[in-house]
Structures are given as structure tokens and as C-alpha cells.
């Protein structure tokens, strides 16, 4: 018995000695939900790269969940070295709290977003309702499936995409845009709990005529349900969705991992990192790699949240805060 | 058990165990709840009232408490039947069915919600027969009731089972031999014994339903003013990083739940004392 305890104490002591060493070489990436596949491929690539560069092996830890949940956890003290998110408003929140640099979007190229995506329509085989563009989504008798526009990132991008499209029409203004979006929402029989739930509702429960989702989701649907089951339709104008990354300053300063964190995020822009994005059906920023995968990414006219809405810091309160344009559509007081 | 405390209030270990109980409850229940109230108290009364009485908030209280009441009521009726059958009759597969009752406890609520939504959707195993008849369950308010009924079932059954086990068949036989009809036996002998436990089961199922989020969210459809539950509005506030606003809604829910639970407990006390005056019931409590 006492031998057992002694052994156990020895193990514990060894473990404690090893802990700081291990901690120096580990990096926690706190990320949004569906980035799992991307980083599962990316992390081993970076480990190899870092080993070749510095001779150190590094342990990479991932955490995935809904992005605003993740950001709240980081604000509450989850020790993330880096955050990789799917919406600037979430990183803005950390900037406000002083956890990431105020100008985080300028610390890396391309608005600190190593890849992009866009919102597309997914329609049933053969496109029976002849859906080609946004106006087809507001026609009577067409059912549109989307996640909750107020509570999910996916839904918010859909909402802004439709709004931006309506604004861009001749004679388009805030009022006509809101009317257009209101008509679109009237065609929604439900608001799904999240992106994947919307996909299940559309593909498996066969509810609705069109699903609005990320371009990158379409490939996943193909893998799950078969390519012939649906058609992807690119609208004439859509929104460019950006995925900002940032270093969490207090954490890397405390852990001494700034160089590692910087390299980890920079490597996303390397040819290998960009190629990985393309393979995960996210549009790479590098023109060469984009060209290489041109078949997968047909050209599409897009606008950014910054261009049309003046950034998420303006778009979020105007549309998704309580009393914003979404609430106005439903609460006619 | 209670009678043990009567003559000997200073059972060994009383102070220690009371201290443990108070500490445990403080850490687990009181501390988070006071934190909640403290956070909400950062709001001015006017701001609090505006959040608590918003159009969407009011609609969500109706949906949440209405669906919870309905689900708990359904469970009270059918949970009683299930518990009765499981205690009083023996049949093949009884143990299996008994184990099934606990399933809603164990299943992750999101799994329950997704499964129920798939079953009750227009092309689901159940939905395909109901929807042509005009019953839309999934992605409509009835879907919320279905989900809440599912998660609430074990509370009623598990509360009733031991009580029914305690009612000796001899009691019924005695009633019959004294000339009571079957209805009289049920109303005058069994019902008074069951009522307190039935109310407890109802209360547990009801309070569990009010806070439920995981399963409802996948079957409700989440349309503003129609099928939004209050927990969803709380999440919506958190999505806006409005923690204080979220706690305001939580405090309102807590308050309404507290009042309702208080009323039900009052009823229970009334039922217990009214029948407790008769000798038989004291033993059952």
C-alpha cells in the first residue's frame, strides 16, 4: 500500500515537473463550430512546419462550439492563445474587452481573414421551383429554410445578404430592403437552431424549397446526402463572409507563446494553408490557389459587410440587437 | 422517518449534517441565484420593466408556461397510469418498460429534440399521418408540448411509484369488504393517498419544463411571437453580449416559477393536512 502511494507521489512529482515544459509548447485555438474539419487537417501541417523551423514539437489544442459562446468563454478566462472565428462581431467583442488588439483586422493580411465563403442557395434536384436569384425567394409559395437570423451567425449572414441585394436594386433604400427581407422571412416556415439543423431540416425532413447556407456547407451536404440530391444556385449578388483570426494578447504574454501564435496564424496564408482551405471548400485568398481550384469556386459577385453596412460594429446593432430591423419586422407596435 | 425527529431532535450529527446541507445548498443554489439577482439589479427599474414586459418576452412567457403546464398535466394523467401499471401488475417485459421510463433522464436533450423533430416532421414516421389530418406538430407550438412531455415523464412516474407500492392491496380489500364501490374506493381511499405525490410529480415535471432549452429548440420552429420560448430569448440576449438583459429575463422566469411552485406546494400541504387528519395518510407521507 505504502509502496503504491510512494509510486503515485513520484509520478505526481514528475508530472508537475513536466507540466511547465509541456505548457510552453502548447497552443489553444478557440474556434467556431464547423471549423473542426479545417483545423483537423491544418494542425498536423503546422506541427510539421514548426518542427522544421524551430526543432520544437508543439501540442495544438482545439476547442469548437458556437462562436459567440466561445468568445464569451475567452472573455471569462478560457486561456486561448488564438481565436479563429466566423464573424467579426465576435472578435470585436474581445477587442472591446482589451483581449485582442483594437486593430486586429490589420495585424494580418486580408482583414485578418485567411479564407472566405459566400451565401448560396441549395435547391432540390432539378430546381423544380426555378429558383435563380433572391427575388425568387420572396415569391408566394416558395419556402425558405434558414437558421435563426437573430441568434446564429449563419442566419445573420443570410439576412444581410438579402438586405444588401435589395439595397443594390435600382431605387433600393433602407425601407425597400426591409420590406424585401420581411417578405423573405414570411416564406420561412421555421427558424432552425443552427446551420447544421437547417441542413437536416431541408435535406432529411424535406421541408422547404430552398436552403440558404455557406458555399462550404454545400460540399458537406453532398458528402452526406449524395451529389445528385440537390443543386447549388449562385445568386447574382451575395455577401462575402470573412473568418477573422486574432492573437489573444494577455494569454500569449503570460504563456510566452506570442511567436508561436503569430506563426500559427501566419501559416494560414502559406500555400499549404491556402490549399487546405480550398480542400475544405473555403475560398482561398491566394489568387494562384483560387485559380487552381477554379472549377470548385465559380466566380460570384459579392459585397462585404464593411462595404454595405460599414462593418459589423454598425450592422449588428442596426439589425440584430433588440429593437433592430429584425425585431421591427415582427413587432408592429 | 419524520417521526424520528420528533422525540429526539438532537440525533447524533445533527449540527454537522445541517451545516453540510446548508453549505451545499448555498454553494449550488443560493450563490448562483443571488449572483443572478445581483447582476439583474444593475438595471434601473424602468429598464428592467421594459425588458421583462417587451412584446416578444410576453409572448415567450405564454408559450413557455402554457406548454409546460400542458405537458405537466398530460404527464400527470399518463404518468399515473404508467406508474400504476408498473407497480400493480406483473407482465412480461415489465423490467424493460420500467427502465424505459428513465430514458428521458439519460438522453442528451438535444438528441431528444432532433429525434422528436424528425419523427413529427411532415415526412416523419408519425408526422406523415398527422399532417394530412391538419395536425402540424413539429415546428409549431404543439411540438414544444411534445418535447416537454417527453422530458417530464420520469418525474411523475418515479415520484408516484413508491407511494403506490406503499398502498397495501389490503386497504382496498378492506374498503370493498366494508361495502365501498370501486369508484368510492378510488375516490375516498386511493386518491387521497396519491394526491400529494401526484402534485409533487406535477411540480417537478413542470419546473423541469420551464427551463428546458436543448430539446425544444430543435422542434419549436422558433418563430418570433409564435413559438419562441423564454430560454431562447435569454440565449438571444447572450448572443448580443447583453448579459444583464439576459439575467433580467431569467429573474422574471424565476419569479413566476417561484410563485407557481409556491401555490402548488401550498396545495400539496393542504392536501396532506386535510387527509393527514385521517390516520391512514400519516404513515404514507
Amino acid at each position: 500500500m505504502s509502496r503504491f502511494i510512494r509510486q503515485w507521489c513520484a509520478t505526481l512529482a514528475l508530472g508537475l515537473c513536466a507540466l511547465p515544459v509541456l505548457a510552453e509548447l502548447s497552443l489553444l485555438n478557440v474556434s467556431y463550430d464547423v471549423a473542426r474539419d479545417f483545423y483537423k487537417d491544418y494542425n498536423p501541417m503546422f506541427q510539421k512546419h514548426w518542427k522544421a523551423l524551430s526543432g520544437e514539437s508543439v501540442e495544438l489544442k482545439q476547442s469548437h462550439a458556437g462562436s459567440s459562446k466561445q468568445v464569451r468563454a475567452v472573455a471569462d478566462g478560457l486561456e486561448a492563445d488564438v481565436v479563429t472565428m466566423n464573424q467579426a462581431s465576435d472578435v470585436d467583442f474581445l477587442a472591446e474587452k482589451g483581449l485582442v488588439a483594437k486593430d486586429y483586422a490589420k495585424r494580418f493580411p486580408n482583414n485578418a481573414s485567411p479564407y472566405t465563403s459566400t451565401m448560396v442557395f441549395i435547391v432540390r434536384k432539378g430546381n423544380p421551383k426555378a429558383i435563380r436569384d433572391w427575388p425568387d425567394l420572396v415569391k408566394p409559395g416558395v419556402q425558405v429554410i434558414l437558421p435563426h437570423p437573430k441568434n446564429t451567425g449563419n442566419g445573420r449572414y443570410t439576412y444581410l445578404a438579402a438586405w444588401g441585394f435589395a439595397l443594390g436594386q435600382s431605387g433600393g433604400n433602407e425601407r425597400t430592403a426591409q420590406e424585401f427581407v420581411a417578405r423573405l422571412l414570411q416564406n420561412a416556415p421555421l427558424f432552425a437552431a443552427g446551420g447544421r439543423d437547417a441542413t437536416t431540416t431541408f435535406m432529411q425532413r424535406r421541408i422547404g424549397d430552398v436552403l440558404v447556407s455557406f458555399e462550404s456547407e454545400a460540399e458537406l451536404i453532398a458528402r452526406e446526402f449524395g451529389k445528385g440530391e440537390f443543386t447549388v444556385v449562385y445568386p447574382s449578388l451575395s455577401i462575402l463572409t470573412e473568418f477573422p483570426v486574432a492573437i489573444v494578447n494577455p494569454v500569449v504574454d503570460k504563456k510566452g507563446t506570442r511567436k508561436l501564435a503569430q506563426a500559427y496564424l501566419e501559416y494560414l496564408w502559406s500555400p499549404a494553408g491556402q490549399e487546405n482551405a480550398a480542400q475544405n471548400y473555403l475560398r482561398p485568398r491566394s489568387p494562384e490557389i483560387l485559380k487552381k481550384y477554379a472549377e470548385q469556386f465559380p466566380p460570384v459577385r459579392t459585397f462585404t459587410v464593411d462595404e454595405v453596412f460599414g462593418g459589423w460594429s454598425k450592422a449588428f446593432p442596426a439589425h440584430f440587437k433588440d429593437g433592430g430591423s429584425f425585431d421591427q419586422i415582427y413587432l408592429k407596435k | 422517518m419524520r417521526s424520528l425527529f420528533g422525540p429526539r431532535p438532537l440525533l447524533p450529527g445533527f449540527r454537522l449534517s445541517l451545516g453540510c446541507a446548508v453549505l451545499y445548498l448555498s454553494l449550488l443554489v443560493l450563490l448562483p441565484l443571488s449572483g443572478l439577482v445581483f447582476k439583474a439589479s444593475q438595471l434601473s427599474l424602468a429598464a428592467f420593466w421594459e425588458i421583462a414586459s417587451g412584446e416578444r418576452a410576453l409572448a415567450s412567457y405564454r408559450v413557455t408556461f402554457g406548454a409546460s403546464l400542458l405537458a405537466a398535466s398530460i404527464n400527470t394523467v399518463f404518468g399515473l397510469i404508467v406508474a400504476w401499471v408498473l407497480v400493480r401488475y406483473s407482465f412480461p417485459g415489465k423490467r424493460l418498460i420500467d427502465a424505459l421510463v428513465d430514458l428521458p433522464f439519460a438522453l442528451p436533450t438535444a438528441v431528444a429534440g432532433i429525434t422528436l423533430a424528425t419523427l413529427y416532421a411532415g415526412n416523419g414516421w408519425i408526422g406523415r399521418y398527422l399532417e394530412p389530418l391538419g395536425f402540424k406538430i413539429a415546428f409549431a407550438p404543439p411540438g414544444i408540448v411534445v418535447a416537454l412531455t417527453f422530458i417530464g415523464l420520469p418525474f411523475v412516474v418515479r415520484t408516484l411509484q413508491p407511494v403506490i407500492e406503499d398502498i397495501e392491496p389490503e386497504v382496498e380489500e378492506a374498503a370493498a369488504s366494508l361495502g365501498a364501490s370501486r369508484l368510492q374506493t378510488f375516490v375516498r381511499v386511493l386518491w387521497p393517498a396519491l394526491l400529494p405525490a401526484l402534485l409533487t410529480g406535477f411540480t417537478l415535471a413542470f419546473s423541469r419544463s420551464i427551463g428546458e432549452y436543448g430539446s425544444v429548440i430543435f422542434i419549436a420552429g422558433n418563430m418570433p411571437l409564435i413559438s419562441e420560448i423564454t430560454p431562447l430569448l435569454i440565449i438571444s440576449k447572450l448572443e448580443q453580449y447583453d448579459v444583464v438583459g439576459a439575467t433580467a429575463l431569467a429573474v422574471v422566469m424565476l419569479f413566476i416559477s417561484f410563485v407557481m411552485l409556491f401555490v402548488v406546494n401550498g396545495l400539496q400541504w393542504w392536501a396532506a393536512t386535510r387527509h393527514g387528519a385521517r390516520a391512514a395518510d400519516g404513515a404514507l407521507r
Side-chain angles (χ1 to χ4, degrees):
Chain A
M1 189 65 186
S2 71
R3 208 179 121 213
F4 171 77
I5 292 174
R6 224 177 301 144
Q7 265 179 358
W8 194 79
C9 286
T11 319
L12 191 74
L14 264 176
L16 284 175
C17 293
L19 214 59
V21 182
L22 278 175
E24 259 172 31
L25 290 169
S26 81
L27 183 110
L28 174 61
N29 174 11
V30 170
S31 191
Y32 58 98
D33 217 345
V34 293
R36 208 168 271 117
D37 294 332
F38 177 88
Y39 285 102
K40 210 165 70 197
D41 300 338
Y42 176 77
N43 285 347
M45 284 163 52
F46 176 76
Q47 276 165 330
K48 224 185 265 167
H49 166 75
W50 187 251
K51 182 101 188 172
L53 204 74
S54 68
E56 295 170 321
S57 35
V58 55
E59 190 196 357
L60 297 173
K61 288 184 254 176
Q62 287 292 138
S63 163
H64 297 281
S67 72
S68 53
K69 249 184 241 107
Q70 293 290 73
V71 162
R72 266 196 309 277
V74 172
D76 286 340
L78 175 66
E79 295 213 319
D81 299 83
V82 297
V83 289
T84 52
M85 289 297 153
N86 59 358
Q87 206 176 285
S89 53
D90 292 319
V91 188
D92 288 345
F93 175 73
L94 290 179
E96 238 171 74
K97 295 258 163 187
L99 289 165
V100 309
K102 282 259 182 292
D103 60 344
Y104 71 88
K106 298 200 173 67
R107 297 286 171 105
F108 292 95
N110 311 110
N111 236 354
S113 169
Y115 47 79
T116 64
S117 192
T118 186
M119 301 313 283
V120 300
F121 305 156
I122 291 155
V123 298
R124 304 225 174 267
K125 191 161 68 183
N127 199 355
K129 296 257 169 143
I131 287 157
R132 308 255 169 266
D133 204 354
W134 290 103
D136 298 322
L137 265 55
V138 303
K139 281 184 185 155
V142 171
Q143 285 198 325
V144 185
I145 303 297
L146 72 159
H148 204 295
K150 197 168 153 162
N151 301 344
T152 67
N154 196 325
R156 287 193 279 259
Y157 271 126
T158 304
Y159 186 97
L160 293 183
W163 190 285
F165 170 84
L167 264 188
Q169 300 313 105
S170 64
N173 57 39
E174 294 286 315
R175 199 178 48 79
T176 61
Q178 187 165 17
E179 274 167 20
F180 184 81
V181 172
R183 279 168 65 203
L184 192 151
L185 295 182
Q186 260 167 25
N187 278 351
L190 61 107
F191 290 141
R196 289 285 150 86
D197 184 40
T199 303
T200 312
T201 300
F202 182 75
M203 294 304 298
Q204 199 185 325
R205 298 178 192 139
R206 311 204 65 82
I207 295 175
D209 303 303
V210 51
L211 166 73
V212 189
S213 195
F214 285 109
E215 183 184 37
S216 49
E217 275 289 291
E219 181 51 32
L220 231 115
I221 299 172
R223 256 183 254 163
E224 189 75 16
F225 296 94
K227 262 208 158 64
E229 280 297 299
F230 65 95
T231 313
V232 178
V233 173
Y234 285 85
S236 64
L237 179 68
S238 192
I239 197 161
L240 188 80
T241 61
E242 294 184 311
F243 301 80
V245 300
I247 292 175
V248 184
N249 287 323
V251 176
V252 294
D253 288 344
K254 187 178 141 203
K255 285 172 65 183
T257 47
R258 181 174 288 280
K259 250 178 70 186
L260 178 67
Q262 181 80 23
Y264 180 78
L265 293 182
E266 265 170 11
Y267 194 64
L268 288 165
W269 276 268
S270 73
Q274 291 287 295
E275 189 118 358
N276 182 45
Q279 277 160 8
N280 279 284
Y281 292 84
L282 295 157
R283 291 183 177 232
R285 292 288 198 178
S286 146
E288 295 85 54
I289 310 261
L290 186 63
K291 213 165 167 188
K292 189 174 158 194
Y293 288 85
E295 208 180 305
Q296 195 176 304
F297 300 116
V300 52
R301 244 180 82 226
T302 57
F303 59 86
T304 65
V305 177
D306 291 356
E307 284 160 13
V308 173
F309 301 95
W312 272 105
S313 57
K314 291 212 178 74
F316 201 97
H319 298 288
F320 307 118
K321 278 250 159 99
D322 288 349
S325 76
F326 175 81
D327 278 5
Q328 287 161 19
I329 289 171
Y330 284 93
L331 315 179
K332 300 257 188 259
K333 255 205 212 167
Chain B
M1 277 308 264
R2 190 170 292 176
S3 61
L4 278 178
F5 284 97
R8 280 177 59 187
L10 288 177
L11 201 68
F14 170 70
R15 283 183 195 183
L16 183 66
S17 53
L18 182 71
C20 276
V22 170
L23 179 73
Y24 190 68
L25 282 176
S26 306
L27 281 178
L28 273 169
V29 181
L30 225 52
L31 199 65
L33 284 189
S34 40
L36 187 75
V37 175
F38 174 75
K39 194 92 184 170
S41 68
Q42 292 176 6
L43 285 165
S44 71
L45 212 60
F48 180 87
W49 184 246
E50 202 186 312
I51 294 171
S53 68
E55 198 182 345
R56 264 177 117 186
L58 289 180
S60 81
Y61 303 148
R62 270 197 294 278
V63 172
T64 303
F65 288 94
S68 299
L69 265 177
L70 206 58
S73 308
I74 294 172
N75 271 330
T76 306
V77 175
F78 289 94
L80 173 62
I81 297 174
V82 171
W84 186 262
V85 166
L86 285 176
V87 172
R88 279 299 166 94
Y89 305 102
S90 57
F91 50 91
K94 178 174 158 173
R95 274 172 185 276
L96 187 74
I97 293 182
D98 199 32
L100 276 181
V101 171
D102 281 333
L103 213 60
F105 271 149
L107 205 65
T109 50
V111 176
I114 292 168
T115 311
L116 290 171
T118 302
L119 277 179
Y120 286 91
N123 70 342
W125 288 352
I126 301 176
R128 75 175 66 166
Y129 301 110
L130 291 179
E131 216 139 281
L133 302 175
F135 296 110
K136 195 167 157 22
I137 308 282
F139 312 118
I144 303 175
V145 178
V146 169
L148 296 181
T149 308
F150 175 81
I151 56 149
L153 173 73
F155 291 93
V156 176
V157 177
R158 290 294 180 241
T159 318
L160 279 170
Q161 267 177 327
V163 177
I164 299 175
E165 270 163 15
D166 275 354
I167 305 177
E168 315 264 328
E170 285 84 354
V171 177
E172 284 164 72
E173 286 165 16
S177 70
L178 290 172
S181 69
R182 286 186 167 202
L183 184 71
Q184 276 175 325
T185 310
F186 181 76
V187 175
R188 308 290 291 267
V189 178
L190 297 178
W191 182 249
L194 290 174
L195 189 61
L198 210 54
L199 281 171
T200 307
F202 173 85
T203 313
L204 288 175
F206 175 70
S207 17
R208 175 73 181 79
S209 299
I210 290 168
E212 176 60 15
Y213 173 75
S215 61
V216 175
I217 221 67
F218 290 101
I219 196 172
N222 308 320
M223 299 307 279
L225 305 181
I226 298 168
S227 50
E228 273 185 335
I229 52 169
T230 313
L232 178 73
L233 288 195
I234 293 177
I235 295 286
S236 171
K237 292 268 185 207
L238 291 177
E239 283 285 331
Q240 304 165 39
Y241 298 111
D242 179 9
V243 178
V244 180
T247 54
L249 283 177
V251 165
V252 172
M253 280 187 88
L254 209 63
F255 179 74
I256 302 178
S257 310
F258 182 77
V259 170
M260 295 183 99
L261 294 179
F262 193 76
V263 169
V264 176
N265 277 334
L267 271 176
Q268 209 176 333
W269 176 83
W270 168 80
T273 47
R274 200 178 73 127
H275 300 289
R278 301 176 197 173
D281 202 40
L284 294 171
R285 279 292 290 163

